[in-house]
Structures are given as structure tokens and as C-alpha cells.
Amino acid sequence: MRLDIVTIFPDYFAPLQLSLIGKAISDGLLDVRVHDLRDWTHDRHRTVDDTPYGGGAGMVMKPEPWGEALDELLASYRASEADADSQSLPAARPILIVPSPAGHLFSQSMAAEFAVAQTLAFACGRYEGIDRRVVEWASGSFDVREVSLGDYVLNGGEVAALAMIEAIVRLIPGVIGNPESLLEESHSVGSQGLLEYPVYTKPALWRGLRVPDVLLSGHHGRVEQWRRERSRMITEDRRPDLLQ
Ligand code: 6GU
């Protein structure tokens, strides 16, 4: 997968070099390119924002640098398509994810959908947002998806993009050593919409607290039943909305 990120804070994405995602990059499963939006400004101050038409607090990101950045992404996609095998299928419209607290709620199923894309681009704006015409214009060439992490406010799209990238990249085939571990997680299809059961490891007695006996019994069927019950109890308590 090719992953392009446009941001005014490229340093936010340094952690992508770590751990699982860093391994995916060095294994050649993932090609990450972080771009500084200010590279597409032309004034001495490298200005990316301006006051909102109609008034109000805060600043709005100017459309021109975004337009040029997205033009360059499209040109670069076309160049790599031309390089590719001429027998290959025409590429799908590239996906452009725009993190926004006003977006559709991000979910595990969205992560799974994005994980099979050939190319993904993230446009990270600040909270007050990007001039609306950028998304309008970009929709002519990209499959634009405005996506929110949840009902709280971050300062910009960078941290949201990092969270989404981690959720997406771990689903790319070959990124996780043991794909079976994906099946039982909270919010995955295999978990049947329930939250994950509690887990324990050695020692069996720690600071006076025992691991539940059933997990030491070696009785596979009873272990499964206990885990299902606990999943249901935890889901009922913390996320009753998931039981609908
Ligand atoms: Cl995607 N962006 C921002 N700025 N705030 C958020 C968010 C995204 N999701 C939840 N809060």
C-alpha cells in the first residue's frame, strides 16, 4: 500500500517508523510519504491559513496550497500507474481521508475497507477546518472520505490520522505475524460485536489475586463458555449500545 500524508506537522508521523508499522515499511508492504503542506506555499511566511469569510473565531486553511498538493499527488499516482504492468487493471479512484470531528464515525469495518486499497492519502487540517472548496474539488478525482474518531475535539487531524493508520495497516495481509489474533479482538467480525474478555498470564497468584480457576482447568469448552459470558457482561456494562 502507498500512503501519502499531507500536514503542516510532518514530525507528528515520526512514530510510524516504530514497531509493527515500521516493520511493514522495511518489509516493503507499506510505502509511507509524509508531505509538508507549506512546500506548496509561495509567500515568504509560507502562509497556510486565513480568517473565515462571514466572521467567527479561529482560522481556516487556504485552498491554494491544498489544491497544489493534491495535484502533485494525482500526478505522482499517474506516474506510478504508467510504470506498472500494462496488463494490470485500471486503478480505482484513490481514497482521500480527511480527518474531521464532523466526519463519519471511524470503525473497524472502515479500517478493513481501507486496508485493501492500493493507495490512501490523508489530508490533515486544523480543527477550524480546510476551505470547503478543497473537498468539493478533490471529489472530482478522489474518493473523499471525511472521518471522525469520536465525539471529542482534537487540535488537528494528525493524531486522528495516526490512530486510523495504525488500525488500517495492521489489517494489511502479512503485517501481523499471527492473523488469528485479529479474529478475537474487540470490534472485529469474529468477536460477534462483543468487547474482548479479560486475559491473564503467570503467575497464577499475584499480590493475593488469583487467576480464575476455569482458565487453569485445561477444559477448552468451559474456557470458551467463561470467555463468552465475560465478554457479554463487560459489553452490557460498558457498551450496551453494541448489544442491539
Ligand atoms: Cl478526525 N479530527 C479532529 N480535529 N478532532 C477529532 C477527530 C478528528 N475525531 C475526533 N475528534
Side-chain angles (χ1 to χ4, degrees):
M1 175 188 288
R2 173 166 164 191
L3 184 59
D4 288 90
I5 303 162
V6 183
T7 171
I8 57 169
F9 297 118
D11 292 347
Y12 262 102
F13 296 92
L16 292 180
Q17 304 305 318
L18 303 175
S19 187
L20 213 121
I21 300 179
K23 176 100 179 352
I25 294 170
S26 57
D27 288 350
L29 295 168
L30 185 65
D31 173 11
V32 178
R33 307 180 193 193
V34 182
H35 312 273
D36 187 340
L37 179 69
R38 292 189 201 276
D39 291 349
W40 290 281
T41 58
H42 304 287
D43 63 313
R44 216 158 50 83
H45 301 291
R46 312 228 288 163
T47 310
V48 293
D49 58 1
D50 206 338
T51 53
Y53 274 122
M59 300 289 273
V60 174
M61 295 193 106
K62 296 162 60 60
E64 303 97 319
W66 281 110
E68 290 188 31
L70 297 178
D71 283 345
E72 201 162 312
L73 274 191
L74 288 169
S76 151
Y77 290 158
R78 289 195 193 104
S80 28
E81 272 167 46
D83 288 346
D85 181 359
S86 59
Q87 292 179 60
S88 64
L89 296 165
R93 272 151 69 88
I95 296 174
L96 178 65
I97 300 175
V98 184
S100 161
H104 296 272
L105 207 52
F106 187 63
S107 63
Q108 189 67 21
S109 60
M110 240 185 240
E113 179 196 345
F114 296 151
V116 296
Q118 281 305 303
T119 63
L120 274 188
F122 281 83
C124 300
R126 47 180 298 161
Y127 167 56
E128 293 80 3
I130 305 171
D131 186 300
R132 190 64 208 165
R133 292 168 292 180
V134 173
V135 160
E136 220 176 284
W137 174 84
S139 301
S141 304
F142 291 88
D143 176 6
V144 179
R145 312 288 286 267
E146 292 177 86
V147 183
S148 166
L149 283 193
D151 294 338
Y152 45 85
V153 176
L154 304 170
N155 283 332
E158 285 76 12
V159 167
L162 266 181
M164 293 184 221
I165 290 165
E166 184 156 308
I168 293 163
V169 168
R170 60 196 298 285
L171 299 180
I172 297 174
V175 168
I176 286 214
N178 173 15
E180 286 193 5
S181 67
L182 294 174
L183 290 176
E184 293 191 7
E185 293 171 328
S186 303
H187 304 302
S188 71
V189 177
S191 71
Q192 295 168 311
L194 300 179
L195 299 180
E196 207 166 353
Y197 48 79
V199 295
Y200 302 85
T201 186
K202 293 176 273 300
L205 176 63
W206 176 75
R207 298 194 177 184
L209 300 172
R210 297 201 154 280
V211 171
D213 279 338
V214 58
L215 299 180
L216 308 176
S217 70
H219 196 300
H220 185 69
R222 281 178 26 216
V223 168
E224 286 299 294
Q225 192 195 343
W226 180 88
R227 286 178 168 167
R228 263 199 310 277
E229 280 168 13
R230 296 305 303 257
S231 273
R232 178 154 286 275
M233 287 164 57
I234 289 167
T235 308
E236 223 162 64
D237 175 46
R238 301 177 193 170
R239 293 293 306 279
D241 57 298
L242 293 179
L243 293 174
Q244 304 319 311

